[in-house]
């Protein structure tokens, strides 16, 4: 399992590229709007970003999740733990280019696979009500997204 932390010191923000070298698939966690650096990193590592997730709705920067889904039909894994004020409204509607987003709505304990990497969503409200921490196995690495 490849696990790369990507830092934006100006925003004090981290994104994560988590990859399965066996299948060449990768998950991107908490991407910023400018997705080119993530695409470049994935290519250098021999990976394709096939999935994206967010630990929480970001009010402090624009997320790149939507652009990845629009441009590359990337699968979205997003929290459905918040009340009506904490929902990903954009992902519930049609894509700008037509069609629907490929989205899976996550709840506490839900799991999904990216290659041989198992990702578990853990509901950790506090920073925001819908906040999810992700645990990536087999190495049990966690992405907390402002939750610590």
């Amino acid at each position: 399992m490849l696990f790369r932390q990507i830092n934006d010191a100006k925003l004090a923000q981290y994104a994560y590229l988590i990859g399965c070298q066996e299948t060449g698939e990768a998950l991107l966690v908490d991407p910023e709007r400018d997705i080119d650096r993530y695409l470049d990193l994935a290519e250098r590592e021999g990976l394709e970003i096939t999935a994206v997730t967010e630990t929480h709705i970001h009010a402090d920067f624009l997320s790149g999740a939507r652009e990845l889904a629009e441009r590359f039909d990337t699968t979205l894994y997003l929290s459905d733990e918040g009340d009506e004020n904490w929902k990903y409204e954009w992902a519930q509607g049609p894509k700008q280019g037509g069609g629907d987003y490929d989205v899976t709505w996550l709840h506490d304990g839900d799991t999904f696979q990216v290659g041989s990497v198992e990702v578990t969503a853990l509901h950790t409200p506090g920073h925001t009500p819908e906040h999810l921490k992700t645990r990536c196995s087999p190495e049990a690495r966690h992405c907390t997204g402002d939750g610590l």
Side-chain angles (χ1 to χ4, degrees):
M1 179 177 92
L2 175 122
F3 189 92
R4 294 282 186 269
Q5 185 181 62
I6 305 132
N7 179 29
D8 183 334
K10 292 178 184 176
L11 284 178
Q13 188 272 341
Y14 291 97
Y16 299 87
L17 181 70
I18 300 155
C20 174
Q21 292 105 328
E22 294 172 23
T23 64
E25 298 170 87
L27 168 68
L28 187 58
V29 180
D30 288 342
E32 292 179 20
R33 174 69 171 83
D34 180 11
I35 64 171
D36 290 336
R37 68 181 175 155
Y38 309 120
L39 296 170
D40 291 343
L41 176 59
E43 184 178 0
R44 284 195 307 273
E45 295 291 350
L47 300 169
E48 177 186 358
I49 298 169
T50 59
V52 63
T53 190
E54 295 189 345
T55 54
H56 62 290
I57 295 171
H58 298 282
D60 52 350
F61 69 88
L62 294 175
S63 169
R66 186 175 189 169
E67 184 172 353
L68 284 160
E70 289 281 345
R71 286 179 52 190
F72 303 105
D73 291 322
T74 306
T75 302
L76 299 164
Y77 294 94
L78 301 173
S79 177
D80 198 26
E81 286 286 356
D83 65 22
E84 67 276 357
N85 297 310
W86 292 92
K87 299 292 182 188
Y88 287 88
E89 292 181 18
W90 62 266
Q92 297 173 22
K95 293 167 71 174
Q96 293 176 351
D100 294 325
Y101 291 102
D102 179 8
V103 60
T104 298
W105 300 105
L106 297 174
H107 295 274
D108 186 50
D110 286 349
T111 63
F112 62 93
Q113 293 283 136
V114 178
S116 63
V117 177
E118 181 178 78
V119 182
T120 304
L122 303 168
H123 186 217
T124 52
H127 181 63
T128 59
E130 86 300 353
H131 194 281
L132 294 175
K133 176 171 76 168
T134 58
R135 180 178 62 226
C136 302
S137 296
E139 295 181 17
R141 300 256 186 141
H142 292 253
C143 300
T144 59
D146 301 331
L148 291 179

